Amino acid sequence: MGWRLPLRTALWTLRGKQPKATADMVRELSHRREVYSAVPCHLHIFPILKRLQSSEPERACSQNMDEEMNDFMGRKVSYSSQMCFIPEESTNSVPCYRLLSTHGDLLDPSSINELDKELCIEMYRKMVTLQVMDTIFYDAQRQGRISFYVTTIGEEAINIGSAAALNATDVVFSQYREPGVLMWRGFTLQQFANQCYGNEYDLGKGRQMPVHYGSNELNYLTVSSPIATQVPQAVGAAYGLKMDKKDACAVTYFGDGGTSEGDFHAGMNFAAVLGAPVLFICRNNGWAISTPTSEQFRSDGVAIKGQAYGVRSIRVDGNDALAVYFAVKNARKMAVEEFRPILIEALTYRVGHHSTSDDSSKYRSVDEIEYWRTRRDPVARLRMFLQSNRWWDDENEDLLRQDLRTQMMSVLHNAESKKKPGLSNLFEDVYDVIPQNLKEQEQETQAIVGKYPKDYPSDVPLD
Amino acid sequence: MPIVNRLCRLGRQIYGRRTFSTQTAAMKRMNLVSAINNALQIALESNPRSYVFGEDVSFGGVFRCTTGLADKFGKHRVFNTPLCEQGIVGFGIGLAAMGNIAIAEIQFADYIYPAFDQIVNEAAKFRYRSGNQFNCGGLTIRTPYGAVGHGGHYHSQSPEAFFCHVPGIKVVIPRGPSQAKGLLLASIWDPNPVVFFEPKWLYRQAVENVPEDDYILPLSQAEVICTGTDLTVVGWGAQMAILHQACSEGRQAGISCELIDLQTLIPWDKETIEASVKKTGRLLVSHEAPITGGFGAEIAASIAERCFLHLEAPVSRVCGLDTPFPLVFEPYYMPTKNKVLEAIKASVRF
């Protein structure tokens, strides 16, 4: 049966596993689509099933019109003489898991017992760090000090909440709007700055654009620009981890736009068929540069796609760090213990421009941005929660932000004052050893630079 | 179209990961398919973290190259993937990035294009872009290529030139069973991603004695198959058999051809070709792929640059036509023996 999601969710509700919808949540859902209801589509068509539905919804679903199973190789199904097209859209949108209200109230008070105070504070500190880093790097780009930058503003909760839920040995394949994962694992502000400046301390040797971070030590695969290429790669890595019997999974991040790439399809399908322990974390922030999701797909977002691949899936409020944390923590456990992929769609909003090369006010209203920046900010939401528990106060806040600003100024200055990597780095690492043609090209380049040194940057050592 | 057995020369070229000499090595009659199968078996035996996967490889492959491997090494090490080339290569990159040996199969080279992005933007740049923090050097992509008599548009292509424009990968094409085994094992163990094209026309036609041992043939090294003084003839893969016939007939006509199998297309062995052309003063390059933008152009330009004062005739290219690969017209499209022979004669007469 291909239409079980509403039922499964209905069961969650029956068993009380879903947090009760608040007025706030219902309002939000009703904005998107109709309020969630527990009756699957075809039950409206078959009255007999509808009768069974209240007591035994799952049996009603599996015992269809005909007991005789057919022998199609493509799928074992039951027959129906009723012509029923699966509607293109469920009346029941996949619900969005949330623990914190917009005002930082815990929606399921019992979950307070599962919360670690220190972890919550650390998550908050890292979210603020990410915010401050973004603001200062963004300004540095505007001043022409670095060539390019991409902010994470509005998506701090997805970055940090998910990172906190993973083990350090889990292998991360990110898109480019997830530096918080690397930050959580210990990548320093100085290391971020070194990469953006492409100086001699950049682990990537100055070869890639800013924000294309990577760290072998921290199990964070180097970012590349092509969208979604990392998705099937994460599946391959996950398969390797499974075969090596490692207690680890692979994690891949991508945006809503990334799900339109063929590589998303490839990755989801391979992961399901090959039983790879991989987490697919989609940051559905509503925009792929200027393209809104209404021009990206017509499905009920991304979470709904998981079931079609046989991948267990959940939708979470991406501006709620605690919801993201718990969803990823549980997903990770299922992935590693059951060798299965899990899809997590985190709904959020890209508050910043797509990048420093983009002016997003050309395609969306400033009011919309302001609304999300001021009223739906994930950092402010977690702060309200912490402060209401007296785990944080204004003094802590001021100290933290001041300290971060000082640190940022210092790392920027440091990164800026360092030399670039030597010219030989242009030719190395294309292969494991430098082939003859590249040796010759290096000599030719050196000869030309030697002859016209004034026409070349002075901060690149010629070795 | 039997490939001439040239094992004495092979023995000189082979250097083994394990000690190997032609005198003591056990030989076995193998066609190209069984040589490939034998190499894969050695790879799977030698490294428990090596994997073979692709469309239909589990039951033995549509060309039987992976016969028996799933039974011997298990369904988790030799397995089918969904029908999706970009997925196969992306998956292979991820597997290799974790330190595994990933041997991916693309069913026909004609269908490698969906994986072009993964090969060009990802596999080839993986080491470079990360500052050597990560690499996918354990990846080898095997794929049958070239004419097969009736393959039409999408079972005949020779897409090697597309990949030769990509720094960071290696492109390897063997001409027969012994070379296929040695070069495939070299490609599998090479710490760089390799695209390995197998001449499917020869899968069953090329039969020779192949050493049963574990050996490798060096990459980026051309092999001089027969020496000559009048003209250097360069090719690779299935075209070597055609070139061999043309050279033999040229010899009967009194023209002494030096025949060279390039074997690795990038990074290629310029020095061997250069030395040969400096001796003969003439060069002919031949491949099945269309002439415009084919790898023959790269060889012709490089050699013209390096051997300008030694050349006594323009570099000659005998290649496929600038058309899609045709069905009924295949005999006219192909760079056949007659075309090569005429070009040999024209070059010498120039």
Side-chain angles (χ1 to χ4, degrees):
Chain A
M1 295 301 296
W3 206 246
R4 275 165 32 192
L5 185 114
L7 269 178
R8 182 181 297 159
T9 323
L11 287 174
W12 287 342
T13 316
L14 289 175
R15 293 171 192 156
K17 285 191 177 171
Q18 284 291 106
K20 286 217 175 74
T22 61
D24 199 300
M25 188 177 168
V26 171
R27 240 195 331 275
E28 204 167 295
L29 278 173
S30 60
H31 271 301
R32 294 185 51 77
R33 280 193 186 86
E34 290 171 54
V35 178
Y36 181 72
S37 116
V39 184
C41 78
H42 61 266
L43 299 188
H44 297 295
I45 298 164
F46 307 124
I48 182 167
L49 297 179
K50 197 171 183 180
R51 186 166 48 78
L52 286 168
Q53 175 252 335
S54 57
S55 55
E56 289 176 290
E58 249 179 357
R59 244 184 97 217
C61 191
S62 58
Q63 291 188 357
N64 214 324
M65 296 299 287
D66 200 328
E67 284 294 327
E68 184 191 331
M69 299 299 278
N70 69 50
D71 50 4
F72 293 124
M73 294 303 291
R75 190 68 182 169
K76 297 285 177 245
V77 295
S78 45
Y79 291 110
S80 167
S81 61
Q82 300 289 316
M83 183 163 55
C84 173
F85 289 88
I86 300 171
E88 64 284 1
E89 187 175 11
S90 168
T91 50
N92 317 308
S93 190
V94 176
C96 183
Y97 168 61
R98 171 188 252 199
L99 267 182
L100 287 180
S101 78
T102 307
H103 307 295
D105 305 320
L106 205 55
L107 297 170
D108 175 11
S110 67
S111 61
I112 189 86
N113 304 322
E114 294 173 52
L115 287 172
D116 180 319
K117 177 185 164 188
E118 295 310 316
L119 184 77
C120 289
I121 294 173
E122 189 51 28
M123 278 167 62
Y124 179 69
R125 294 178 68 94
K126 284 288 184 291
M127 282 164 70
V128 173
T129 311
L130 200 51
Q131 219 177 34
V132 173
M133 177 176 90
D134 273 348
T135 314
I136 291 175
F137 274 142
Y138 185 81
D139 291 344
Q141 195 283 333
R142 296 281 102 162
Q143 294 162 14
R145 294 162 75 178
I146 56 176
S147 58
F148 177 79
Y149 195 69
V150 165
T151 70
T152 309
I153 296 176
E155 302 178 35
E156 295 90 345
I158 299 175
N159 269 250
I160 301 297
S162 63
L166 300 173
N167 282 9
T169 48
D170 295 336
V171 182
V172 176
F173 290 73
S174 71
Q175 185 63 67
Y176 46 64
R177 219 181 289 284
E178 302 91 358
V181 181
L182 200 46
M183 178 182 280
W184 182 265
R185 293 181 167 212
F187 210 65
T188 63
L189 292 175
Q190 188 64 61
Q191 285 177 301
F192 283 115
N194 292 341
Q195 198 282 330
C196 288
Y197 278 90
N199 68 22
E200 60 181 324
Y201 295 102
D202 168 22
L203 297 174
K205 305 184 185 175
R207 291 171 184 150
Q208 285 213 86
M209 286 173 78
V211 186
H212 291 56
Y213 311 117
S215 168
N216 189 320
E217 197 191 334
L218 301 175
N219 284 320
Y220 188 97
L221 274 283
T222 302
V223 171
S224 74
S225 307
I227 299 297
T229 46
Q230 75 279 11
V231 177
Q233 293 172 11
V235 180
Y239 189 84
L241 292 169
K242 175 171 96 167
M243 293 301 288
D244 290 345
K245 300 190 166 53
K246 292 272 169 64
D247 176 28
C249 63
V251 187
T252 179
Y253 294 84
F254 45 88
D256 44 270
T259 66
S260 295
E261 290 282 3
D263 277 331
F264 168 76
H265 161 68
M268 291 286 287
N269 199 30
F270 274 54
V273 170
L274 297 170
V278 55
L279 306 187
F280 298 97
I281 304 183
C282 176
R283 299 174 291 95
N284 180 352
N285 63 20
W287 297 94
I289 305 187
S290 73
T291 307
T293 46
S294 59
E295 292 166 26
Q296 198 66 251
F297 40 66
R298 286 297 163 95
S299 56
D300 176 18
V302 176
I304 190 76
K305 299 184 187 194
Q307 194 178 47
Y309 290 104
V311 173
R312 194 173 289 173
S313 312
I314 190 170
R315 169 176 283 165
V316 301
D317 181 346
N319 287 24
D320 174 353
L322 300 186
V324 174
Y325 172 78
F326 281 114
V328 173
K329 201 170 174 59
N330 282 290
R332 186 200 178 274
K333 192 169 186 300
M334 292 187 282
V336 173
E337 288 176 3
E338 300 169 34
F339 301 118
R340 61 164 72 244
I342 311 277
L343 171 66
I344 298 164
E345 178 189 24
L347 293 177
T348 183
Y349 185 84
R350 194 195 78 213
V351 171
H353 300 300
H354 164 71
S355 74
T356 48
S357 310
D358 170 52
D359 172 9
S360 63
S361 65
K362 293 243 164 65
Y363 50 80
R364 58 184 191 177
S365 80
V366 176
D367 290 349
E368 177 186 303
I369 302 171
E370 271 308 287
Y371 166 76
W372 284 92
R373 196 179 67 76
T374 55
R375 303 198 27 215
R376 302 294 298 277
D377 178 26
V379 185
R381 193 189 301 190
L382 187 58
R383 182 181 171 183
M384 285 187 276
F385 167 73
L386 294 180
Q387 299 215 163
S388 67
N389 279 291
R390 299 182 190 286
W391 292 354
W392 192 255
D393 57 29
D394 293 350
E395 195 186 339
N396 286 333
E397 183 77 14
D398 292 343
L399 278 175
L400 174 63
R401 287 191 183 265
Q402 260 168 32
D403 176 47
L404 284 171
R405 273 194 208 96
T406 320
Q407 275 190 55
M408 278 306 299
M409 289 308 157
S410 147
V411 301
L412 273 188
H413 178 76
N414 260 331
E416 215 157 19
S417 63
K418 296 290 183 289
K419 282 184 298 202
K420 301 296 179 209
L423 185 58
S424 64
N425 287 290
L426 165 59
F427 302 94
E428 288 162 1
D429 303 333
V430 178
Y431 296 92
D432 64 321
V433 292
I434 306 183
Q436 187 55 33
N437 58 324
L438 273 179
K439 282 183 191 157
E440 288 164 15
Q441 289 167 28
E442 182 173 4
Q443 283 165 9
E444 288 160 11
T445 309
Q446 289 277 8
I448 289 287
V449 179
K451 201 168 176 189
Y452 304 99
K454 287 196 177 110
D455 294 336
Y456 292 90
S458 57
D459 57 351
V460 175
L462 300 181
D463 296 332
Chain B
M1 198 197 316
I3 281 283
V4 180
N5 191 340
R6 280 178 290 273
L7 272 179
C8 51
R9 206 163 272 119
L10 181 73
R12 184 165 51 75
Q13 287 250 338
I14 290 171
Y15 60 84
R17 295 192 316 120
R18 294 174 197 158
T19 322
F20 169 80
S21 84
T22 40
Q23 278 78 40
T24 56
M27 294 286 189
K28 196 178 169 190
R29 293 290 286 176
M30 288 187 202
N31 60 20
L32 191 57
V33 168
S34 33
I36 299 275
N37 184 279
N38 187 229
L40 293 175
Q41 198 158 315
I42 289 171
L44 287 161
E45 259 162 18
S46 321
N47 188 335
R49 295 180 71 200
S50 52
Y51 300 91
V52 171
F53 52 91
E55 294 157 16
D56 306 302
V57 302
S58 182
F59 88 111
V62 294
F63 289 107
R64 312 310 296 153
C65 288
T66 51
T67 302
L69 300 181
D71 288 340
K72 193 162 179 191
F73 299 98
K75 294 268 183 198
H76 292 295
R77 293 186 62 202
V78 180
F79 51 91
N80 288 342
T81 64
L83 201 167
C84 180
E85 287 75 14
Q86 65 195 97
I88 293 170
V89 175
F91 179 90
I93 292 172
L95 196 56
M98 295 291 103
N100 301 288
I101 295 292
I103 308 166
E105 178 179 307
I106 299 294
Q107 203 158 69
F108 286 85
D110 312 61
Y111 306 126
I112 203 168
Y113 307 118
F116 202 62
D117 184 42
Q118 285 284 357
I119 296 171
V120 175
N121 275 331
E122 295 292 317
K125 298 171 175 59
F126 217 84
R127 185 192 298 273
Y128 190 73
R129 75 181 186 210
S130 71
N132 202 17
Q133 291 193 87
F134 298 99
N135 73 78
C136 60
L139 174 67
T140 303
I141 303 165
R142 296 175 40 240
T143 184
Y145 90 99
V148 70
H150 52 271
H153 292 353
Y154 307 111
H155 299 82
S156 310
Q157 294 181 47
S158 302
E160 67 269 15
F162 291 113
F163 297 95
C164 291
H165 198 57
V166 185
I169 53 171
K170 296 190 176 183
V171 175
V172 179
I173 310 184
R175 70 169 184 279
S178 305
Q179 294 76 25
K181 180 177 171 184
L183 289 171
L184 180 55
L185 281 169
S187 301
I188 289 169
W189 305 133
D190 190 271
N192 299 285
V194 179
V195 184
F196 190 87
F197 291 102
E198 298 165 4
K200 63 178 165 296
W201 200 333
L202 306 183
Y203 267 151
R204 295 183 179 280
Q205 295 203 54
V207 183
E208 64 185 2
N209 284 328
V210 176
E212 284 191 285
D213 301 51
D214 175 7
Y215 65 92
I216 62 171
L217 294 173
L219 301 186
S220 290
Q221 218 173 92
E223 185 188 343
V224 181
I225 288 167
C226 52
T227 54
T229 51
D230 297 333
L231 174 76
T232 301
V233 176
V234 176
W236 51 85
Q239 189 64 5
M240 290 313 295
I242 305 289
L243 296 180
H244 194 266
Q245 287 172 13
C247 288
S248 302
E249 292 196 16
R251 194 163 289 121
Q252 285 160 21
I255 303 168
S256 163
C257 296
E258 182 147 304
L259 180 59
I260 303 180
D261 180 3
L262 196 56
Q263 297 191 130
T264 300
L265 275 70
I266 54 161
W268 63 289
D269 182 1
K270 244 176 238 184
E271 288 66 32
T272 298
I273 314 296
E274 182 183 348
S276 172
V277 174
K278 279 184 173 162
K279 179 177 74 177
T280 61
R282 293 179 178 85
L283 173 64
L284 182 150
V285 190
S286 180
H287 54 67
E288 283 178 26
I291 187 164
T292 303
F295 195 63
E298 177 58 37
I299 298 174
S302 297
I303 294 304
E305 225 167 50
R306 289 177 170 231
C307 307
F308 184 66
L309 295 176
H310 297 82
L311 283 173
E312 291 169 34
V315 177
S316 171
R317 287 184 290 158
V318 183
C319 305
L321 307 178
D322 288 338
T323 64
F325 199 102
L327 182 70
V328 170
F329 307 111
E330 182 169 323
Y332 306 92
Y333 169 93
M334 291 291 283
T336 50
K337 184 201 71 187
N338 293 341
K339 290 183 185 175
V340 177
L341 191 57
E342 282 307 300
I344 288 174
K345 288 176 181 167
S347 182
V348 173
R349 277 194 224 109
F350 184 83

